[in-house]
Amino acid sequence: QVQLVESGGGSVQAGDSLRLSCTASGRSFGGYAVGWFRQAPGKEREFVAGINWRGDVPFYADSVKGRFTIDRDNAKNMVYLHMNTLKPEDTAVYYCAADAIGAGTRVWRLYDSWGQGTQVTVSS
């Protein structure tokens, strides 16, 4: 498994942008797919964005498509979530997760390692 730490969350206004970072340590990170998930109070964890181990196949939830971008730098053991045009409904704790299979999935139960989460709050 790898260890993951998220950073970059904060409180912003609707329409603003944030960049979340996921820093990995431990075993070789380059072979892992990575997903970003979020969970708002009283709601189930939901998929936001994912990227395969090479970084050339990103995929997104419909709710963020066109606003969020995921990319990765395997040399730095980093994955980023660029969030633009934020909306109040994007408010949640955001988690990054790693999947040893490498292709990536939208199913959170299939991920092996998780970070502790970072809070994103968007006010109107």
Side-chain angles (χ1 to χ4, degrees), residues 18-84:
L18 278 176
R19 187 186 74 168
L20 303 184
S21 298
C22 176
T23 305
S25 60
R27 299 186 66 179
S28 176
F29 179 63
Y32 285 73
V34 173
W36 283 98
F37 293 80
R38 66 187 181 187
Q39 189 165 18
K43 295 188 177 181
E44 294 186 354
R45 190 175 312 184
E46 65 170 344
F47 168 77
V48 176
I51 193 163
N52 68 330
W53 67 274
R54 281 195 303 224
D56 58 354
V57 182
F59 48 102
Y60 302 93
D62 288 344
S63 59
V64 306
K65 198 172 294 183
R67 299 189 298 123
F68 291 11
T69 302
I70 185 172
D71 57 23
R72 66 189 296 166
D73 185 339
N74 285 342
K76 296 181 178 179
N77 283 358
M78 298 289 295
V79 176
Y80 305 99
L81 184 67
H82 307 267
M83 305 188 296
N84 298 315

